[in-house]
mmCIF file of all heavy atoms in Angstrom:
data_model
loop_
_atom_site.group_PDB
_atom_site.id
_atom_site.type_symbol
_atom_site.label_atom_id
_atom_site.label_comp_id
_atom_site.label_asym_id
_atom_site.label_seq_id
_atom_site.Cartn_x
_atom_site.Cartn_y
_atom_site.Cartn_z
ATOM 1 N N MET A 1 -2.766 19.235 10.793
ATOM 2 C CA MET A 1 -3.601 18.065 10.912
ATOM 3 C C MET A 1 -2.748 16.901 11.386
ATOM 4 O O MET A 1 -1.629 16.696 10.939
ATOM 5 C CB MET A 1 -4.219 17.753 9.551
ATOM 6 C CG MET A 1 -5.111 16.554 9.582
ATOM 7 S SD MET A 1 -6.091 16.508 8.081
ATOM 8 C CE MET A 1 -5.637 14.934 7.481
ATOM 9 N N ALA A 12 4.549 -9.092 0.642
ATOM 10 C CA ALA A 12 4.044 -8.491 -0.589
ATOM 11 C C ALA A 12 3.009 -9.435 -1.197
ATOM 12 O O ALA A 12 3.324 -10.561 -1.550
ATOM 13 C CB ALA A 12 5.182 -8.245 -1.565
ATOM 14 N N ASP A 100 -15.159 11.435 0.217
ATOM 15 C CA ASP A 100 -14.332 12.292 1.040
ATOM 16 C C ASP A 100 -14.962 12.614 2.388
ATOM 17 O O ASP A 100 -14.512 13.485 3.083
ATOM 18 C CB ASP A 100 -14.020 13.601 0.308
ATOM 19 C CG ASP A 100 -13.037 13.405 -0.811
ATOM 20 O OD1 ASP A 100 -12.200 12.496 -0.683
ATOM 21 O OD2 ASP A 100 -13.118 14.138 -1.799
ATOM 22 N N ALA A 156 23.836 10.408 -11.077
ATOM 23 C CA ALA A 156 24.932 10.833 -11.946
ATOM 24 C C ALA A 156 25.104 12.339 -11.843
ATOM 25 O O ALA A 156 24.139 13.096 -11.958
ATOM 26 C CB ALA A 156 24.649 10.420 -13.382
ATOM 27 N N SER A 168 31.708 17.914 -18.330
ATOM 28 C CA SER A 168 31.801 16.825 -19.296
ATOM 29 C C SER A 168 30.450 16.165 -19.440
ATOM 30 O O SER A 168 29.631 16.205 -18.525
ATOM 31 C CB SER A 168 32.859 15.824 -18.850
ATOM 32 O OG SER A 168 32.504 15.271 -17.612
#
Side-chain angles (χ1 to χ4, degrees):
M1 180 166 123
D100 287 330
S168 61

